[in-house]
Amino acid sequence: MIAAADFNPLHIKSREALRRLRDFHKVVASHSARHFPTLVMNDGAVAYRDLSLRSPSVTFDFLIRSWELFSEIKSLEAAAGHPGARMVLACGFRMRGRRAGMDASAGQLRSILARLQEGRINTEQAVREAASVRPTFDIIPQLQANFAFTKAYVAESSGKAGGIGGANFYVDLAIFDQPGLGWITLGEPINWSHPRLGLSADFAPVLGVNWRDRAPVAPEGVRDGLQIAEQLTGDPNVLHALRQAKKI
């Protein structure tokens, strides 16, 4: 759509594309929450969450939130005559990390607070200085070396050639411990792989979800984080490896 305007946002033909982009951002923002954080860049969005090693309710909650986001975007796109969006929900491991020591703006804020406490600046000046602080480096630790994100991104990018085509919602079947669940309707499984990167997964398109009468505490057929880790690695002792990784 924006290509018709030569990627010039000032061109009259770009108006619809920019309006579509803003509408997409608004929908993603409305679904974002503490337990469903998102990162948006242009016409793409990433939602992420660490799963519980004990309870499948977190897995279930993330799946439902993802489905609701996808469904609203699909409805919005259809109403405007647009083709829709594709969503891929994938499972994987991620590196533990934090942003401490990487963001220089944190030091600026500490300096402001210290000078305020010492009485070297007043409240008005502290607020004025804090408002002018602009980060020069940004990072979301949860998305660094996040191999669920890697898998989802590569699978989505493979498109129709990889079996992940159209404006559909594809889910990693590793999150389920049994087929034929009554509360979710899935299409035919897709044995997806990217040989060069050594990535593979079984996905299926989600055709419908009937979750409102289901108790989220113990959803039928959904794995918790530990069970998913065991499924991904084939290692029944993966919990020991995860505990050791925390010490690194």
Side-chain angles (χ1 to χ4, degrees), residues 46-50 90-96 140-153:
V46 182
Y48 53 95
R49 187 172 182 184
D50 290 340
C91 306
F93 296 92
R94 76 168 179 89
M95 178 184 73
R96 297 175 71 243
I140 297 180
Q142 294 89 340
L143 294 179
Q144 310 311 308
N146 183 320
F147 301 112
F149 176 37
T150 300
K151 187 197 298 183
Y153 178 82

Side-chain angles (χ1 to χ4, degrees), residues 36-156:
F36 195 73
T38 61
L39 169 67
V40 173
M41 291 189 68
N42 294 320
D43 60 351
V46 182
Y48 53 95
R49 187 172 182 184
D50 290 340
L51 300 182
S52 168
L53 298 182
R54 299 182 180 87
S55 173
S57 64
V58 177
T59 311
F60 181 76
D61 180 71
F62 187 78
L63 170 62
I64 296 304
R65 289 176 187 263
S66 299
W67 171 254
E68 290 187 319
L69 172 58
F70 171 78
S71 297
E72 184 169 348
I73 293 173
K74 181 179 180 180
S75 297
L76 178 70
E77 287 275 288
H82 298 314
R86 181 161 57 238
M87 178 180 281
V88 176
L89 189 159
C91 306
F93 296 92
R94 76 168 179 89
M95 178 184 73
R96 297 175 71 243
R98 55 197 182 96
R99 61 186 302 151
M102 297 184 183
D103 190 351
S105 62
Q108 292 176 273
L109 293 174
R110 284 194 297 270
S111 172
I112 294 170
L113 290 173
R115 286 182 287 124
L116 177 63
Q117 290 174 347
E118 294 168 2
R120 293 159 55 193
I121 59 174
N122 58 31
T123 303
E124 182 179 350
Q125 184 176 347
V127 171
R128 188 165 56 250
E129 287 190 28
S132 67
V133 172
R134 295 289 182 271
T136 56
F137 171 80
D138 202 1
I139 186 172
I140 297 180
Q142 294 89 340
L143 294 179
Q144 310 311 308
N146 183 320
F147 301 112
F149 176 37
T150 300
K151 187 197 298 183
Y153 178 82
V154 176
E156 193 281 329

Side-chain angles (χ1 to χ4, degrees), residues 1-2 4-6 8-18:
M1 183 180 289
I2 191 69
D6 295 325
N8 178 4
L10 302 178
H11 196 289
I12 190 170
K13 290 184 178 180
S14 70
R15 291 179 181 175
E16 180 61 22
L18 296 177

Side-chain angles (χ1 to χ4, degrees), residues 164-178:
I164 311 293
N168 298 304
F169 178 13
Y170 295 91
V171 63
D172 191 331
L173 295 180
I175 75 170
F176 302 114
D177 64 10
Q178 58 182 284

